[in-house]
Amino acid sequence: MRKRSLSFRQNLLLIWKLAILLSFIFLVFALVRIHFYYDDRSPDDDGDVFQGNPSLAFMFLVRRDLPLDFLWQTFYQNVDAANYSIYIHSEPGFVFDETTTRSSFFYGRHLTNSIKVGWGESSMIEAERLLLRAALQNPANQRFILLSDSCVPLYNFSYIYNYLMGSSKSFVDSFLDMKEGRYNPRMSSVIPMRKWRKGSQWIALVRSHAKVVAYDNVVFPVFKKLCKRRPPLDVSKGKQNLKLQRQHNCIPDEHYVQTLLAMNDLEGELERRTVTYTLWIQSATNMETRSWHPVTYNYASANPQQIKRIKDINHVHYETEHRTEWCKSNSISVPCFLFARKFSRDGAMRLLTQGNFDSSALSHSSP
């Protein structure tokens, strides 16, 4: 009887020691995860709050050149250079100088460490991170705006500056994605499905959030490995397309920033909407597969009535969450969009002639 009692106590002690060991291992693992997720220290951070004139960082993610440089030339004209900075990610080796751009504002603003970017690949979000890292080197940069080569501003610089600086939040289009099946269950050890988000890649971040994205080394490797675009349909491959379409489909730039910020429990610090307008239409290929594409505004469609319709939008509805996001800045109603895409050269030229960048042309008071 004593042997049984002794054996029971020994087993109980062993179980107790094992529980303590497992708790210790879990604690160490949790501390490591917290270090990676929440450690805001970065190469540019000296731990002090910036004192001085805050600047907007305009980050252009382009294929090669900036076809709408003539419009941005007018936008930046007569603006205090201390209020903004410009960064361009183009194809490797492309240089912005007097031979490649009509605007002196873009001279030498290209990254020298740019990479080859493929649509729907992790290289897209790596290029965004490169832009953020470059912009973070300047402590004056307090807001970070990601733009494409077909983006246009809808207001003058002063209005956009006051709008973004007047809010303490980042503007990130972010919503639950439960229908499209882009979440890969193999991510679950790092990214739980409840934190999976979708949204527009065109973001405007405050500095603290920019650092989270730029220096993340936990979530990005998972996206690089497990979030990949399914190969497009190829008529020449016939039945082989059926096999290809069974592959997991994920578009990194539509999920990465949104999911990363959700993982860091930062959604309470966001305006969960984008400030860049895009009109999407659904089209079908000759293999009956429907896909979404952004509308391009040309000279005819970039008319004053259409621009006014975009400017007058004051809310965005998110069907998957049954949520309506009313556009506000410091509790004051404001137009939702500061920029729009995609614009062709002639569409941008018509916008320019409408005087959108003169303070007298603003249809709303400053936020």
Side-chain angles (χ1 to χ4, degrees), residues 346-359:
D346 57 343
M349 183 61 74
R350 184 168 187 179
L351 184 66
L352 188 60
T353 61
Q354 291 169 201
N356 280 58
F357 311 131
D358 298 327
S359 57

Side-chain angles (χ1 to χ4, degrees), residues 22-38:
L22 289 174
S23 297
F24 178 75
I25 292 173
F26 178 78
L27 178 62
V28 171
F29 178 74
L31 289 173
V32 170
R33 291 289 292 275
I34 290 172
H35 170 77
F36 281 126
Y37 283 138
Y38 297 99

Side-chain angles (χ1 to χ4, degrees), residues 112-223:
T112 57
N113 61 340
S114 63
I115 60 173
K116 190 70 176 176
V117 173
W119 181 85
E121 298 178 2
S122 61
S123 55
M124 181 78 77
I125 54 178
E126 179 58 19
E128 295 175 16
R129 283 153 50 87
L130 287 172
L131 282 165
L132 284 168
R133 287 177 203 150
L136 282 165
Q137 297 304 308
N138 182 353
N141 289 332
Q142 297 296 307
R143 299 294 184 272
F144 303 77
I145 311 157
L146 183 65
L147 300 164
S148 76
D149 52 12
S150 64
C151 279
V152 298
L154 296 172
Y155 300 94
N156 68 10
F157 181 90
S158 177
Y159 185 86
I160 291 174
Y161 182 92
N162 291 332
Y163 188 116
L164 294 175
M165 289 297 181
S167 175
S168 61
K169 296 185 175 183
S170 292
F171 294 87
V172 179
D173 186 48
S174 178
F175 54 90
L176 297 174
D177 177 37
M178 299 297 187
K179 295 182 179 180
E180 296 190 16
R182 291 185 176 180
Y183 177 78
N184 190 333
R186 293 170 60 196
M187 299 176 176
S188 60
S189 61
V190 176
I191 306 171
M193 188 173 182
R194 60 187 174 82
K195 295 291 188 179
W196 185 249
R197 300 289 186 271
K198 183 181 179 183
S200 167
Q201 77 177 107
W202 310 112
I203 54 179
L205 301 178
V206 298
R207 189 174 180 88
S208 60
H209 298 162
K211 287 191 286 186
V212 170
V213 177
Y215 302 113
D216 160 53
N217 58 7
V218 174
V219 175
F220 177 71
V222 176
F223 266 74

Side-chain angles (χ1 to χ4, degrees), residues 12 24 37 57 327-329 340 351:
L12 187 62
F24 178 75
Y37 283 138
C327 301
K328 295 182 178 182
S329 178
L351 184 66

